[in-house]
Amino acid sequence: MDLTQGTLEEKTGRAKKMMLYFGIASLIMSFAGWTSAFIVSSSRPDWLNDFEMPQPFWISIIIMVISSITFIIAKRALKQGKNGLTTAMLTLTFVLGLIFIYNQFVGFNQIIDLGFNFTGPTSNITVTYIYLIAVVHIVHVLVGLIPVLVVLINHLRGKYSQDNMVGFELAETFWHFVDLLWIYLFFFLYFFLN
């Protein structure tokens, strides 16, 4: 298809999606850099081997996957004109995002209880990387919650329809990216620490 064809609204929608994809690509490169640094640093003599990931980090995978499913259900419900279900699923997605963030901090507390802090005399380079990667991901979840909230508000105002879902789709795409990113990061850390 010729990308210059279509109405102004269609072209604007394609441009917004392309900008989101560029942004996601840059985020992927950032996390690739951090995980590469993690791999390079693993040859240090003070590197921890056999570090157990906190249980809340495992639970966080389930929370993020469920939140992606609720977003998918919300989109399908919107297309079918089920506004109540759309509202419920968007609200649940938002709440699950908040639970994910809370759960991450519970995991951090478990790491601290093991005697490892982010910095200072009780810090370790291995755990510092875990903190860094997880905290940066939490920031992206927070950023992802903003469009989820905006989509929820716009949905309640009746902004979306089958013919006008660009904002909804942009928020959904970013949310799924954040979900897949956590799954990748968790298993990356898990397999490189064991």
Side-chain angles (χ1 to χ4, degrees), residues 38 41-42 44-49 51 111 114-132 193:
F38 184 92
S41 296
S42 67
R44 291 172 49 128
D46 59 344
W47 192 259
L48 290 178
N49 292 316
F51 182 81
I111 293 172
L114 292 173
F116 298 109
N117 289 301
F118 179 67
T119 61
T122 59
S123 68
N124 174 280
I125 188 67
T126 310
V127 178
T128 299
Y129 271 115
I130 294 169
Y131 279 120
L132 172 72
L193 293 171

Side-chain angles (χ1 to χ4, degrees), residues 48-152:
L48 290 178
N49 292 316
D50 297 327
F51 182 81
E52 290 288 326
M53 294 293 281
Q55 187 69 25
F57 284 16
W58 283 97
I59 295 167
S60 293
I61 293 174
I62 297 165
I63 293 168
M64 287 305 287
V65 169
I66 293 171
S67 73
S68 274
I69 292 169
T70 58
F71 216 135
I72 291 168
I73 294 169
K75 183 177 178 182
R76 288 185 183 165
L78 180 64
K79 286 183 176 182
Q80 296 169 355
K82 299 177 181 176
N83 291 332
L85 181 58
T86 304
T87 302
M89 291 297 106
L90 287 172
T91 303
L92 185 54
T93 301
F94 186 82
V95 169
L96 287 168
L98 294 175
I99 292 171
F100 171 86
I101 293 168
Y102 170 78
N103 205 46
Q104 294 295 95
F105 284 101
V106 172
F108 293 155
N109 284 333
Q110 287 184 5
I111 293 172
I112 291 168
D113 290 343
L114 292 173
F116 298 109
N117 289 301
F118 179 67
T119 61
T122 59
S123 68
N124 174 280
I125 188 67
T126 310
V127 178
T128 299
Y129 271 115
I130 294 169
Y131 279 120
L132 172 72
I133 291 170
V135 167
V136 172
H137 183 263
I138 288 170
V139 169
H140 288 86
V141 171
L142 282 170
V143 169
L145 286 173
I146 294 168
V148 171
L149 186 60
V150 169
V151 164
L152 177 59

Side-chain angles (χ1 to χ4, degrees), residues 178-194:
V178 169
D179 177 11
L180 292 173
L181 181 61
W182 177 247
I183 293 169
Y184 159 72
L185 292 172
F186 176 84
F187 284 109
F188 170 84
L189 294 170
Y190 176 79
F191 285 116
F192 270 93
L193 293 171
N194 291 315

